Amino acid sequence: MPELKYYEGTVWYARRFDVAKVPGERLFLYFGAVSYRCRIYLNGQEIGRHEGGFTPFQVEVTNAVKASGNFLAVEANNTRTTDAMPAMAFDWWNYGGITRDVFLVKTPALFIEDYFIQLNKYKNDQVDARILLSEKSANKNIELSIPELNVKQGLTTDENGVAQVSLKVKKLERWSPHSPKLYKVIISSKTDKVEEQIGFRNLYVKDEDIYLNDQPIFLKATSFHEEIPQRQGRAFSEADAMMLLSEAKALGCNMIRLAHYPQNEHTVRLAEKMGFLLWEEIPVWQGIDFENNNTRLKAGNMIKEMVMRDKNRCALAFWGVANETQPSPARNEFLKYLIRNCKSIDTTRLITAACDLVRFDKTKQQFVMDDPFIKELDVVAVNKYMGWYHQWPVSPDKAIWNVAKGQPLIISEFGGEALLGQTGNADIVSSWSEDYQAALYRNNLAMFKNIPNLRGTAPWILFDFRSPFRFHPTNQDGWNRKGLVSDQGLRKKPGT
Ligand code: GCB
């Protein structure tokens, strides 16, 4: 709706529904995402509230629903606030409202609440599984089966309702971008049954290398926002995910950085099926109030909701804790808190953050970065816009990098803007031409050849995307034009 284009504030959603109530069954309302704050009302009573626009939540409604004539109302508010993630200014569109699927979920009284099943980080024949029931009850029987691997294992819960096992598996085909093999996994209890598709792979860092299935890997990544530019709207369906991911496939990528917030589950699951590794992050973008304890608690909650949703996706390689934050004791404590929250659920993924402090040291004639926080990261990532926000201090093929020595490094953003169809001088940045953009990519690639610990690159960004902060009247007009592909889905000039 054009009149809502720049709207920030409350939007109400309402609907009536009936539900066949079965004694002993429980009912939950599940929301994939609501931006940013919402209150949920059922039959005139507030039954839940949530903050955070990119992660799911649910509210139990077993006792609040009637068999017929229920009235559900959702108050969603997308107003930016200084104490939120993201905060006041960010370079993407502030879509509001209920942006993802909503489900009414039925479960038995005692159900399988959670599971975490994956290949042991270092052992390629050991599957580790942890299954949690919805009640802390001991001695309940659970069966875990992976038919294709001939696994059928009986387990019993402890007093916390948790059952754990490490199983030896034979002839496992490991998941990789080249061969994204998934196995059917069935978890059953006396009253409940869950069927999943799970892939198994090992992922770790050793010295300056990232190993996938015990082989060093170079990450050929790109990023996209959760947006279909042609429709000027949020991506929300499997078809949308297919559009975005197919273009990344055509480019030859083996990884996607989901910028700059957790994206919908269709995208995550399809990416895994199509053979992309994933980097997922929360919107701790520039401008976060690190001094605010309330903001810290919100971020902690957000990262846990992200990890809880996607921890069983073997494609998930990186949890990103921040993008372009400035060092300070408060920032460091905030990010360490996020890492602890993340690790309280999952200790196996690689922790990263995109830093933007690389600078050219004229005395040393080298690119350097001073941010001691990078020692907390498994893989260091750097956003650096050479040829766009920064002029070349030396010729690209002569540039020397001395950044994050001893750790793997990813260039998580680089690029420049070009308007589709615009031709111009390949040496003049202000031409906004495809020719300049192509030359910029060639120059950056020449520089990358000499970065000793470089283990991945991610051109920013796959598609032109909407941003209210991009107001050059002809070249931008509300769009960030750094896409390799235009807002209409047409590919710009290749760099090589
Ligand atoms: C960045 C940000 C990204 C922006 C990009 C740009 O460093 O991380 O969100 O969109 O630069 O285009 O300036």
Side-chain angles (χ1 to χ4, degrees):
M1 263 193 251
E3 63 271 30
L4 289 183
K5 187 172 174 190
Y6 293 105
Y7 180 74
E8 275 193 8
T10 294
V11 179
W12 284 91
Y13 294 77
R15 68 171 290 169
R16 292 186 188 280
F17 68 95
D18 301 334
V19 58
K21 283 188 86 170
V22 178
E25 267 184 6
R26 294 171 69 177
L27 288 160
F28 296 82
L29 271 171
Y30 169 94
F31 293 83
V34 185
S35 264
Y36 295 105
R37 284 164 298 280
C38 67
R39 289 186 200 188
I40 323 284
Y41 301 88
L42 187 60
N43 301 326
Q45 298 293 317
E46 183 181 330
I47 53 161
R49 45 176 82 181
H50 184 258
E51 178 166 354
F54 306 97
T55 43
F57 59 96
Q58 57 267 319
V59 188
E60 179 153 17
V61 294
T62 312
N63 299 323
V65 282
K66 306 179 281 190
S68 67
N70 292 289
F71 184 69
L72 174 68
V74 177
E75 178 190 8
N77 188 305
N78 72 330
T79 307
R80 289 163 297 142
T81 55
T82 53
D83 63 348
M85 265 89 32
M88 297 305 285
F90 44 91
D91 190 23
W92 64 87
W93 202 261
N94 187 22
Y95 293 104
I98 302 176
T99 53
R100 296 186 192 156
D101 297 332
V102 179
F103 302 121
L104 182 61
V105 180
K106 281 189 178 192
T107 73
L110 177 61
F111 59 92
I112 298 162
E113 183 175 306
D114 190 30
Y115 47 90
F116 192 9
I117 300 170
Q118 61 175 342
L119 196 61
N120 183 279
K121 196 170 170 81
Y122 301 106
K123 296 180 188 158
N124 60 23
D125 64 348
Q126 181 178 314
V127 170
D128 296 329
R130 183 178 189 278
I131 297 156
L132 171 74
L133 291 182
S134 59
E135 269 168 31
K136 289 189 173 183
S137 56
N139 299 317
K140 297 277 187 257
N141 294 326
I142 291 180
E143 188 184 87
L144 171 67
S145 72
I146 313 174
E148 237 187 297
L149 292 173
N150 290 321
V151 168
K152 207 176 204 173
Q153 176 76 31
L155 311 171
T156 328
T157 57
D158 63 15
E159 66 282 5
N160 293 313
V162 173
Q164 299 200 63
V165 70
S166 290
L167 297 164
K168 288 278 173 227
V169 287
K170 280 197 204 113
K171 296 208 178 120
L172 178 79
E173 192 188 321
R174 286 184 285 182
W175 181 99
S176 74
H178 290 297
S179 166
K181 166 77 185 159
L182 299 177
Y183 287 88
K184 187 200 277 184
V185 173
I186 306 158
I187 309 159
S188 29
S189 67
K190 196 172 160 205
T191 51
D192 199 7
K193 184 173 173 187
V194 178
E195 243 186 69
E196 255 280 33
Q197 294 288 321
I198 294 187
F200 300 101
R201 53 91 188 120
N202 311 92
L203 178 75
Y204 53 85
V205 159
K206 214 171 118 208
D207 304 323
E208 291 183 342
D209 284 310
I210 301 166
Y211 287 82
L212 179 69
N213 298 332
D214 308 311
Q215 301 289 326
I217 184 168
F218 190 89
L219 302 168
K220 293 182 275 178
T222 188
S223 299
F224 51 70
H225 275 288
E226 190 181 42
E227 180 180 75
I228 301 297
Q230 295 93 330
R231 201 174 59 218
Q232 304 196 14
R234 273 258 177 264
F236 63 88
S237 62
E238 190 171 21
D240 289 349
M242 184 58 93
M243 192 293 267
L244 297 166
L245 292 165
S246 313
E247 196 58 46
K249 211 28 150 201
L251 192 63
C253 295
N254 61 12
M255 181 163 109
I256 309 285
R257 176 183 180 206
L258 297 170
H260 275 300
Y261 37 78
Q263 300 194 12
N264 68 68
E265 232 182 313
H266 296 294
T267 302
V268 171
R269 285 183 177 261
L270 187 62
E272 180 167 272
K273 272 194 211 154
M274 288 173 71
F276 293 103
L277 289 159
L278 290 170
W279 160 334
E280 199 167 24
E281 64 193 27
I282 59 169
V284 173
W285 203 76
Q286 300 163 11
I288 302 301
D289 184 0
F290 293 123
E291 310 275 343
N292 186 332
N293 191 42
N294 205 21
T295 303
R296 191 175 72 113
L297 297 176
K298 284 185 209 174
N301 196 40
M302 209 179 265
I303 204 158
K304 279 185 170 170
E305 287 175 341
M306 172 177 82
V307 177
M308 281 305 283
R309 193 192 72 177
D310 289 336
K311 63 184 184 300
N312 285 301
R313 304 279 69 78
C314 67
L316 229 308
F318 291 94
W319 299 126
V321 295
N323 181 74
E324 302 189 344
T325 57
Q326 303 313 306
S328 75
R331 191 260 340 223
N332 298 348
E333 278 319 302
F334 191 107
L335 298 189
K336 279 186 198 166
Y337 172 75
L338 293 187
I339 295 174
R340 283 201 300 280
N341 273 269
C342 192
K343 290 193 171 167
S344 71
I345 305 169
D346 173 23
T347 55
T348 67
R349 269 33 179 243
L350 308 179
I351 304 281
T352 193
C355 313
D356 66 338
L357 294 172
V358 165
R359 62 183 172 86
F360 187 72
D361 185 314
K362 282 200 181 125
T363 329
K364 293 186 186 149
Q365 288 289 301
Q366 290 180 351
F367 284 95
V368 296
M369 180 166 79
D370 308 310
D371 188 352
F373 187 76
I374 64 172
K375 289 288 167 225
E376 306 292 329
L377 307 174
D378 296 306
V379 174
V380 179
V382 160
N383 299 345
K384 191 73 194 165
Y385 286 89
M386 292 311 299
W388 187 252
Y389 297 129
H390 313 281
Q391 287 181 354
W392 289 100
V394 288
S395 119
D397 58 332
K398 299 277 172 335
I400 298 171
W401 276 58
N402 186 0
V403 173
K405 245 187 164 161
Q407 291 178 279
L409 179 72
I410 297 179
I411 304 287
S412 39
E413 291 180 24
F414 69 107
E417 300 196 40
L419 192 63
L420 183 89
Q422 192 135 297
T423 51
N425 190 323
D427 298 323
I428 299 180
V429 58
S430 58
S431 69
W432 290 74
S433 63
E434 290 185 43
D435 308 274
Y436 183 80
Q437 194 191 36
L440 177 149
Y441 273 102
R442 275 195 298 274
N443 286 336
N444 276 277
L445 295 180
M447 174 174 76
F448 295 162
K449 285 203 176 111
N450 296 324
I451 305 181
N453 52 340
L454 187 68
R455 297 298 176 265
T457 57
W460 184 261
I461 186 172
L462 191 54
F463 293 93
D464 285 354
F465 62 96
R466 294 173 83 201
S467 169
F469 298 99
R470 302 286 169 179
F471 24 63
H472 187 290
T474 50
N475 295 331
Q476 294 178 313
D477 194 21
W479 291 85
N480 183 317
R481 295 288 181 199
K482 292 193 188 71
L484 304 176
V485 180
S486 80
D487 59 310
Q488 292 306 308
L490 296 171
R491 294 176 190 162
K492 298 181 191 171
K493 193 170 177 168
T496 47

